[in-house]
Amino acid sequence: SSLGTGNIISKAMASRRLLDFVDVPGIVALGADGVDLQAELGVLEPEEHEDLWSRALKVAGQFHANEACLPLLRGFASLLHAFAEGLDAARVPLLPPSFEEAAHRCQELLLSIPDVQTQALIARALERICMDNFRGREDFYGGVLMFLVGRCLESKATGADISRLYRARDLLVELDWDHESIESLKMQLMRCVASPSFVRSQHGPELLSIFFTVHSGFTMEVHNTVKNQVMYCRKAALKNYGVGLFKAWKRSDGTSKAQLEQCIQDWAVLAIRTSRKSAERARAVLEELHRNHLDESANEMLCRMYGPILWRSLKVANSEVRENTARLLHYTFPLIPNDLGVKEREQELSKQLRLLRETLDDPSEPVRRVGVSSACSILKNYWDMLPPAEIAELLTVLLNRSARDKKAPQVRAAVAEGFTWILENALSHPTMGAILPQTTDLLNDRSPLVRAAFVSLLNAVSRCHGLSVSGIVSNEALLLRLAAEHAEGQAERLQKGLQGGKHASTGPPSEAVAQELSKLMAPSLFQQDLVQQVTRCNHLIQHWPLALLAMLTNLRDVPLPDRVKLAAALFRAGLREVSGKGQKKAPATDPKDPKVTTMLRVVGVLLEGIPTECVGKTSKKKDSMSAELTKFVYGHIKEDDFKHLLADSEGTLRDELLYVLTSLDPQKFPCSAELITSQLQLACQGAAGGLEVSGLSALLRTAVRWELLVTSLEPAWQHLVGAAERLSQRLAVPAEAAGAAAVLEAAFRDPEVRSALLRHPEQAASLHRVAQSLTQALEKAWTSGLAAQGALFGPGAAAWPRLLSLALRVALHLEYRPNAADGETKSDGAHTMLARLSQVLTSEASCDFLKSLEAPAPKRRKTGKASEASGLPSEQDIEISVRLHERLFEAMNAAHFLRPLCRADSRDVLARSQQLEECLWCWASLGQRNSRQLEAWAHLARLLQQMAHADAPAADVIAALQRLLRRATAVVPADVELRQVLQATMSRFEAQPEMAKLLASILDDGDFEPRVAEAVRGELLSCKVLRSRRCKLLPEQFGAGAIADQEKRSMATIATPSRPAEREEVEDASEDVC
C-alpha cells in the first residue's frame, strides 16, 4: 500500500539526506502517502534550499499535466507544498529563485492537472505564498484566485470552499482590472454571483459586496448579473443580494459609490414601474437599505434616489405603479432630507401624510388595500412621532371609509389586520380603545376574509392589558357568530366534497374563522375550576347550545386532561339530573329532554378524537397522567348508571349515549358491548325496520370502534344471499331481507363503517358474494320472466330496485377500495358485473319483447294488473323495469368515469350505455302513467350533467345531448329542466365546434321539437353563453354589422398603462350593445 511505501521511504530518508532523493525515482517516491517531508526540509540549511530546487527542476524538466507525468508531478507538488509550509516571510522575505521558478511552472499547470490531490497540494503552496508578505507574491494572485473561484463553482462546492475564497478576498483588489487577461476571472466571478449556493453561503453577502466595489468598471456587470437572477432565485438568495448591495454601498467611495447609487436607482425604478411580481423582488433586494433607512447617510441617499420618482408615481394613471409606490411607503417613510430645518421638516412630513391619505381613496382596490397596510404600519412605528391631529385624521379615514368599503372586502380585511399591527405599540392602546368598538360590523361581514381578520384583531385585543374583548363585542354576538361560522363551515365542506375540490374558495374558509373564534373564547371556559366549568357549560347548553358545540368542535389547543375531566364531569352531572339525585326539591328530568341529549352530545365532542389508551389502558408515555385520567373518567362514567337508559331509551338519547361510548374503552363496559352486538344482530334479522337511520349508524359506528362489527353482520349476509336465491326463482322476499338491506345501506352511508368493511378481508369477501348473488339472481329472473306468460318479476318485484342499487354500490366500492390486499382477485369486478347485466337487459330477447309491447294492440282493460291470458306485464312490472334500467345506467356512468386511465374498452362501454338508454326510454314510454317519461328524461338529464362535469370527451357529451333533446315532446320535459340542461352544456362547451353545429341544426332544421328551438334561442338571447357565435346563429337579431362592431369594442377593452380605469366601463358598454 501507499502508506507502507511511505514508511519505507521515511526509514530510508533517516539514513540518507533529502538531497540524495532528488532524482526521478526519488521525487516519485516523495508523492507517496505517509512521507514526512516537513522534518527533512527543516534539517536543510537555508543555503541548501537553492541547490535542492535547482536539482528538482533539472529532474522534472518540461513535465506536462498528462497521465504519464502524474506520479512525478505529484511528488513534485508534495515537495512544493511541504517547502512552502516551512517558509516565513518575517525571517526571509525573499523566495529562493529556483523555488519561485518551480512555483511558476506549477501555476501554469494548476488548472489543467487531472489529479485532484496534486492540484490541491499546488494550490495550498501558492496560497501560502500569496497570504504571506513575500516579495514577488503578486505573480501568483491570478492562479490562486482562479483555482479558488473554480472550487466555489463546482457542483459539490461546500461552505469551506467559499470561506477559503473569503480569506483570500484581499487579493482581488491587487489585480490589474484594466488588463485584458482579467476577462476570464470576471466571467468566473459573475458565475459565482449567479450561483444560488454561493450567494446563500455564510460569506456570500460579504463577497458580493467585494465584487461590487473591487473595480468601478466591474460594478455594472455584477449588477446586471444580479438583475438576471432576481426573478428566478429564492427568498434567501434575494435577501443576501440585498445585504451584499448595502454592504457594498457602505464600504464604497468615489467612483464606486456613484456606480452603486446608480444601481440602487435602477432597483428603485424597478420596484415602482414594473409588474407586481417583479416589483416585489426588487423590493426584496432593497430590503436591507430600507431597514437601515433611519441611518443619516442611508436616509440622505434614499431621498436622492426616491425623490424624483416616488411622489410623482402616486399620481400616474397606471394602478400597478401606484400600488407599488404605496407599498414602498410601508418601508421608506419618512423620507425627509437631513439638511432641512424644523419648519421644513414638518411641512415635508405633512405632505407625505397627505399623499398617504390619498391612497386610501384611490379608485383601484389593490392601491387602497396597500395604502391601508402602509398607513397602519406607519402608525405602529411612528405613533409617538406623528402629530396627534395627523393620527386622528388617518384613523378617521380608515374607520369611516376603508372599513366601510362595500365593494372591496380585501380593503376591509386590511383595516382589521392593520389595527392588529397598531396594537403592537402600547402607546396606541388608549386611542384604539375608543376606535375599536366602532368596528363591530366587521364581525358579521359577508366575506369570510374580513371576519377572519377581525377575529384575529380580537385575539390581539385579548393579549392587551388595557383593553378587553367584551368592551368591543358582546359575548352574545360572539356566540351567535361562532354558531353561524360552524354551520357555514360544514356547508362549505359538504359543497367541496360534492364538487371534488375543483372550485375552492379564494379566502379563508368559515371553518378557520370558527377555529379562531373558539381559540378566543376557550379561556373563558377552561381557565376556571372544574365546578365552574360545569356550571358555565350548563348555562351555555340551556341558552347557546349550538355555540357551545361549535366551540368544542373547533378547539385544537386545549390540553387533553382538561377535555377529558370536563367530559366526565358533565356526563356525571347529566345522569344525576336525569335521575333527580343531588337536587333537593327538583324532580328527575325526562330522558327525552333536549337538554340531556345536548349535554351528551357535548360530552361526545369533548371525547371525540382522544386515543383510547389515554382514557383506557395505561399508556407507556406519561403513565401517571394516564392513570389519573383513567381513574377520574371511569369513576364518573359507570356502566351501572346508564345501562338502563341504553337498553330502554330510543331515538336521540340512545344515539348520543353511543356517541359518548365510542371514545371509551369497551373492556370497561361489557354489558354495553353485549347489548350493541345483540341489537345489531336483531337489526340484521329484520328488526331494523323499527330503527331510524341515525340509530343504525350509531350502532354501526360504535361496533366499528369497539371491534364488534365482524360478528354482528354475519346474519345480514346470509339473509341477502337467501333473498337473492328466492328472487332468482321469482318468489317473494322474506321480511328479514329488508332489515339486512337497511343495515347494509346504513353501513355504506357512513364513511368510517364503510372503510372498516372494505378493509376487512372476510367482510369484503362476504360483500362480493352478496353482490354476485344478486347479479346472478337478476339475470335468471329477467330471462325466465321474458319467457313466462304473465308477471315479469313475480311477487318479489318491489324489492328489486333497492337490492340492485345496493349490489351495484357494493361492487363499485369493492372495485375501487383503497389499500386492497395484493392477493385479492378482481377478475369478476364491478365492470364485469355491469357488462353482464347490461347485456341481459339489452339482449335480443329483451328488445323483441319491447317491440311486441310497443306494437298496436286491441284495447286492454285499465286494471293495472297483468292478464295471464294476454301475457302482458303489469304497471308494476313496467315501473320496476324502468327503475332497474335507471339504476344500472347510473352505475355504468359512474364506473366509466371512475377509471379514467383504463379507457381501452371505452367505446364498448359507450355503445352498451346507448343501448341501455334506448331500452330505458322504451320502457318509460309504455304503460298508462304519463309522468314516467318526465321522470326518465330528468334522470337522463342529470346523468348528462354528471358526464359534463366529470370532464368526459366533448364529442360524447354533445352526442348524448343531441339524443336527449330529440326525445323532447310538447310536454316532456318540464321547462325548468330543459333550461338547466341547456345552460350547463352550452356554457361548458361553447368553444366546441360540435356544439355550434348542434345548435345550428336545432334552430334551422325541423327535426327537433319547436319548444327546444325556442329554449335554445332564449339562452342565446340572454347574453350568458356563446357570445362570439350568436351573431351567426341568430342573424335576424344580430346583423352582419354587429360582428364588426363587437370586434371594435373588444379591442377597446384592452388595458393600457395610460387607460386602466376605463376597462370596466368599456366592458359594460359592450355588454349593453350585445
Side-chain angles (χ1 to χ4, degrees):
S1 65
S2 59
L3 185 59
T5 305
N7 293 332
I8 294 172
I9 295 172
S10 298
K11 292 179 181 179
M13 291 177 65
S15 60
R16 293 192 296 165
R17 302 178 69 234
L18 180 61
L19 292 175
D20 298 336
F21 279 87
V22 184
D23 51 16
V24 173
I27 291 181
V28 171
L30 293 178
D33 296 335
V35 178
D36 186 10
L37 293 176
Q38 293 285 345
E40 295 299 328
L41 288 171
V43 176
L44 295 178
E45 296 294 333
E47 296 79 8
E48 294 177 322
H49 291 171
E50 180 64 24
D51 186 18
L52 171 68
W53 285 106
S54 61
R55 290 188 184 187
L57 286 175
K58 290 179 182 180
V59 171
Q62 297 296 327
F63 50 73
H64 302 281
N66 52 35
E67 293 293 337
C69 296
L70 278 183
L72 178 63
L73 188 56
R74 182 175 182 183
F76 197 86
S78 299
L79 183 61
L80 185 75
H81 174 257
F83 188 85
E85 290 296 327
L87 294 176
D88 186 3
R91 283 192 306 111
V92 183
L94 288 175
L95 295 172
S98 298
F99 171 75
E100 188 173 356
E101 183 182 352
H104 276 292
R105 285 195 189 183
C106 291
Q107 178 178 325
E108 294 173 359
L109 300 174
L110 177 61
L111 300 180
S112 58
I113 297 174
D115 184 52
V116 177
Q117 187 174 359
T118 303
Q119 195 180 41
L121 291 171
I122 296 175
R124 290 287 183 185
L126 298 179
E127 189 177 356
R128 176 71 181 84
I129 297 171
C130 294
M131 300 304 291
D132 212 342
N133 195 20
F134 292 105
R135 294 181 186 178
R137 60 176 180 161
E138 59 274 2
D139 295 337
F140 304 103
Y141 288 173
V144 170
L145 287 173
M146 287 295 290
F147 173 78
L148 294 179
V149 172
R151 288 292 299 271
C152 294
L153 291 174
E154 291 179 358
S155 59
K156 296 183 179 180
T158 62
D161 298 324
I162 300 174
S163 299
R164 192 173 170 186
L165 176 62
Y166 175 74
R167 289 193 295 270
R169 63 190 181 278
D170 294 334
L171 305 183
L172 289 168
V173 185
E174 302 297 331
L175 298 178
D176 184 4
W177 287 87
D178 294 323
H179 196 270
E180 59 182 8
S181 62
I182 202 68
E183 293 300 324
S184 59
L185 180 61
K186 284 183 177 180
M187 292 298 298
Q188 293 292 86
L189 292 179
M190 285 190 288
R191 287 182 60 194
C192 289
V193 173
S195 172
S197 59
F198 182 89
V199 175
R200 293 198 303 265
S201 64
Q202 179 183 0
H203 300 292
E206 188 67 29
L207 288 171
L208 279 174
S209 68
I210 295 172
F211 298 164
F212 270 115
T213 58
V214 69
H215 188 257
S216 58
F218 190 49
T219 301
M220 294 307 297
E221 297 183 38
V222 176
H223 172 62
N224 291 330
T225 304
V226 174
K227 283 176 62 177
N228 292 335
Q229 292 299 121
V230 157
M231 289 302 298
Y232 312 104
C233 60
R234 297 181 179 179
K235 291 184 178 180
L238 279 176
K239 181 178 180 181
N240 283 3
Y241 278 136
V243 174
L245 180 62
F246 176 72
K247 288 184 175 181
W249 177 80
K250 289 289 287 185
R251 67 188 300 170
S252 63
D253 54 4
T255 308
S256 295
K257 184 176 281 291
Q259 292 281 344
L260 281 167
E261 290 187 354
Q262 185 178 351
C263 298
I264 295 172
Q265 179 78 59
D266 193 12
W267 286 115
V269 172
L270 291 174
I272 292 176
R273 297 178 182 174
T274 55
S275 63
R276 190 176 289 113
K277 182 179 178 181
S278 301
E280 181 181 358
R281 291 184 169 268
R283 286 194 303 271
V285 175
L286 294 171
E287 180 182 355
E288 190 67 17
L289 276 167
H290 294 157
R291 195 168 61 85
N292 294 276
H293 77 281
L294 296 180
D295 180 73
E296 290 188 3
S297 57
N299 179 69
E300 188 66 31
M301 184 269 296
L302 288 175
C303 289
R304 291 198 309 272
M305 298 299 103
Y306 282 121
I309 57 174
L310 187 66
W311 312 115
R312 188 183 308 168
S313 299
L314 287 172
K315 301 292 185 180
V316 300
N318 194 308
S319 61
E320 285 194 11
V321 174
R322 300 198 305 272
E323 178 186 351
N324 295 334
T325 308
R327 200 176 293 276
L328 277 175
L329 293 178
H330 181 96
Y331 307 101
T332 60
F333 183 90
L335 278 176
I336 301 177
N338 298 326
D339 56 351
L340 295 182
V342 175
K343 182 177 180 181
E344 289 79 8
R345 293 173 68 88
E346 291 180 354
Q347 291 177 350
E348 182 66 22
L349 181 63
S350 299
K351 183 195 78 170
Q352 295 181 17
L353 290 173
R354 175 177 55 81
L355 293 172
L356 177 63
R357 286 196 302 273
E358 291 177 359
T359 62
L360 304 180
D361 295 325
D362 194 274
S364 174
E365 176 187 349
V367 179
R368 297 198 302 273
R369 182 178 70 249
V370 172
V372 168
S373 300
S374 299
C376 294
S377 176
I378 289 170
L379 287 173
K380 179 197 75 171
N381 295 328
Y382 305 103
W383 184 276
D384 53 341
M385 190 192 82
L386 298 178
E390 297 288 352
I391 294 177
E393 194 164 356
L394 267 177
L395 289 175
T396 301
V397 175
L398 288 171
L399 188 62
N400 295 334
R401 297 182 187 175
S402 301
R404 291 172 173 79
D405 195 337
K406 296 182 180 179
K407 296 182 179 180
Q410 294 185 351
V411 176
R412 302 194 299 271
V415 173
E417 184 180 4
F419 283 174
T420 305
W421 298 345
I422 295 175
L423 290 176
E424 295 177 10
N425 190 331
L427 298 177
S428 67
H429 290 179
T431 303
M432 295 303 294
I435 293 293
L436 292 178
Q438 304 178 49
T439 62
T440 53
D441 293 341
L442 299 180
L443 179 63
N444 299 307
D445 195 274
R446 293 173 298 174
S447 172
L449 181 68
V450 181
R451 301 196 299 269
F454 186 74
V455 174
S456 298
L457 173 61
L458 293 179
N459 276 301
V461 170
S462 66
R463 296 189 293 268
C464 298
H465 296 293
L467 301 174
S468 65
V469 177
S470 59
I472 300 172
V473 184
S474 64
N475 293 332
E476 291 78 7
L478 290 175
L479 291 169
L480 286 173
R481 185 70 256 166
L482 177 57
E485 291 292 348
H486 182 65
E488 291 180 14
Q490 297 298 317
E492 287 176 2
R493 180 183 298 180
L494 177 61
Q495 186 69 17
K496 185 178 180 181
L498 293 176
Q499 295 178 351
K502 291 184 178 180
H503 306 285
S505 59
T506 54
S510 297
E511 186 176 2
V513 183
Q515 291 175 4
E516 290 297 318
L517 274 171
S518 301
K519 181 180 177 181
L520 173 67
M521 303 180 68
S524 63
L525 176 63
F526 287 97
Q527 288 183 358
Q528 312 297 324
D529 57 71
L530 190 57
V531 176
Q532 188 66 24
Q533 289 180 24
V534 174
T535 303
R536 295 193 176 192
C537 282
N538 281 324
H539 176 75
L540 291 174
I541 288 171
Q542 186 173 358
H543 297 91
W544 310 95
L546 295 180
L548 177 61
L549 288 171
M551 180 179 68
L552 298 178
T553 302
N554 292 281
L555 277 180
R556 295 293 181 270
D557 301 328
V558 177
L560 175 64
D562 293 347
R563 291 175 65 100
V564 173
K565 289 181 179 180
L566 177 59
L570 278 176
F571 187 84
R572 184 66 175 174
L575 292 181
R576 292 178 65 183
E577 188 171 347
V578 171
S579 61
K581 296 178 181 179
Q583 301 180 12
K584 290 187 178 179
K585 295 183 181 179
T589 305
D590 185 4
K592 296 182 180 180
D593 188 359
K595 181 180 178 181
V596 177
T597 57
T598 305
M599 184 174 293
L600 291 175
R601 169 62 61 169
V602 169
V603 175
V605 169
L606 284 169
L607 293 176
E608 189 176 17
I610 296 176
T612 305
E613 61 268 15
C614 294
V615 291
K617 300 176 183 179
T618 303
S619 176
K620 295 182 180 179
K621 298 181 180 180
K622 302 181 181 180
D623 289 341
S624 58
M625 186 189 71
S626 297
E628 179 185 355
L629 282 177
T630 302
K631 181 178 179 181
F632 185 87
V633 169
Y634 295 112
H636 287 74
I637 304 179
K638 300 178 181 179
E639 191 174 39
D640 294 337
D641 296 337
F642 64 83
K643 64 180 181 180
H644 64 284
L645 294 175
L646 192 61
D648 299 336
S649 60
E650 297 179 356
T652 307
L653 179 61
R654 187 189 59 181
D655 295 347
E656 298 302 338
L657 272 173
L658 291 174
Y659 180 49
V660 172
L661 296 178
T662 52
S663 300
L664 300 176
D665 186 5
Q667 296 181 2
K668 304 291 183 180
F669 310 105
C671 296
S672 300
E674 184 179 353
L675 179 62
I676 292 170
T677 303
S678 63
Q679 286 187 348
L680 265 181
Q681 290 176 350
L682 286 174
C684 294
Q685 293 173 5
L691 288 177
E692 297 180 356
V693 175
S694 60
L696 275 176
S697 299
L699 280 173
L700 289 168
R701 196 179 300 113
T702 308
V704 166
R705 297 186 182 180
W706 283 12
E707 299 179 357
L708 305 173
L709 191 65
V710 177
T711 57
S712 303
L713 294 185
E714 191 59 34
W717 315 139
Q718 299 175 2
H719 291 311
L720 289 174
V721 172
E725 180 65 26
R726 291 186 62 84
L727 285 172
S728 65
Q729 301 173 10
R730 302 170 65 207
L731 299 176
V733 178
E736 292 83 359
V743 172
L744 190 55
E745 287 174 347
F748 271 79
R749 192 178 294 111
D750 189 281
E752 185 178 357
V753 181
R754 180 177 66 241
S755 178
L757 284 175
L758 296 176
R759 284 199 306 264
H760 197 281
E762 295 180 1
Q763 299 299 311
S766 300
L767 289 171
H768 182 73
R769 187 174 71 255
V770 169
Q772 281 295 104
S773 301
L774 290 172
T775 303
Q776 295 171 1
L778 180 59
E779 292 176 353
K780 187 176 179 181
W782 181 268
T783 304
S784 58
L786 293 178
Q789 296 292 329
L792 186 61
F793 295 103
W800 267 121
R802 181 182 189 182
L803 293 179
L804 178 63
S805 177
L806 187 60
L808 294 176
R809 186 178 183 184
V810 167
L812 286 175
H813 277 292
L814 286 173
E815 180 82 11
Y816 298 101
R817 67 187 185 276
N819 303 324
D822 297 334
E824 295 184 34
T825 59
K826 295 184 180 180
S827 58
D828 200 10
H831 292 271
T832 305
M833 188 182 303
L834 291 171
R836 288 167 50 192
L837 289 176
S838 62
Q839 186 176 1
V840 169
L841 295 183
T842 60
S843 63
E844 185 177 355
S846 300
C847 294
D848 293 341
F849 185 75
L850 272 174
K851 290 179 182 178
S852 65
L853 295 178
E854 292 174 342
K859 290 184 179 181
R860 301 162 186 164
R861 293 180 301 169
K862 298 182 180 181
T863 59
K865 298 182 180 180
S867 173
E868 294 184 1
S870 62
L872 297 176
S874 64
E875 285 290 324
Q876 184 187 19
D877 287 338
I878 296 174
E879 186 73 23
I880 296 302
S881 299
V882 171
R883 297 294 166 252
L884 291 180
H885 282 74
E886 287 179 352
R887 301 294 187 274
L888 182 58
F889 189 57
E890 186 172 8
M892 289 182 66
N893 200 48
H896 179 58
F897 297 108
L898 274 175
R899 54 172 189 174
L901 301 180
C902 303
R903 297 292 179 87
D905 57 345
S906 59
R907 294 295 99 187
D908 297 337
V909 173
L910 287 175
R912 289 197 299 268
S913 299
Q914 292 179 14
Q915 294 177 2
L916 191 66
E917 181 182 347
E918 292 292 338
C919 293
L920 168 61
W921 189 252
C922 292
W923 278 106
S925 303
L926 296 175
Q928 302 171 3
R929 193 164 71 87
N930 296 329
S931 62
R932 193 176 291 130
Q933 279 191 337
L934 286 170
E935 296 172 358
W937 202 97
H939 181 80
L940 293 175
R942 181 168 57 85
L943 296 184
L944 174 64
Q945 295 181 54
Q946 288 181 2
M947 289 178 62
H949 289 288
D951 295 332
D956 296 340
V957 179
I958 295 173
L961 175 64
Q962 184 177 6
R963 295 193 303 271
L964 184 65
L965 293 179
R966 286 188 183 278
R967 294 192 174 97
T969 63
V971 295
V972 177
D975 293 337
V976 176
E977 294 172 350
L978 181 59
R979 286 197 301 269
Q980 288 178 352
V981 171
L982 290 175
Q983 290 173 2
T985 52
M986 291 171 65
S987 61
R988 192 170 186 86
F989 301 103
E990 59 180 346
Q992 300 295 329
E994 293 88 348
M995 176 59 72
K997 184 178 179 181
L998 173 62
L999 297 180
S1001 65
I1002 292 174
L1003 295 172
D1004 297 339
D1005 302 339
D1007 296 341
F1008 293 87
E1009 183 69 23
R1011 63 193 293 257
V1012 176
E1014 290 299 324
V1016 170
R1017 187 176 288 105
E1019 290 300 321
L1020 292 174
L1021 291 174
S1022 65
C1023 274
K1024 294 181 180 179
V1025 293
L1026 293 165
R1027 294 184 181 181
S1028 60
R1029 298 181 183 271
R1030 59 187 174 182
C1031 298
K1032 298 178 181 179
L1033 293 173
L1034 299 175
E1036 64 275 7
Q1037 281 81 10
F1038 303 94
I1043 300 177
D1045 185 61
Q1046 184 182 8
E1047 292 178 353
K1048 291 180 182 179
R1049 294 185 179 277
S1050 63
M1051 291 295 293
T1053 61
I1054 298 176
T1056 61
S1058 61
R1059 193 186 55 213
E1062 301 175 2
R1063 186 170 184 176
E1064 293 183 0
E1065 298 175 1
V1066 174
E1067 288 180 351
D1068 295 340
S1070 65
E1071 290 187 4
D1072 294 339
V1073 171
C1074 291

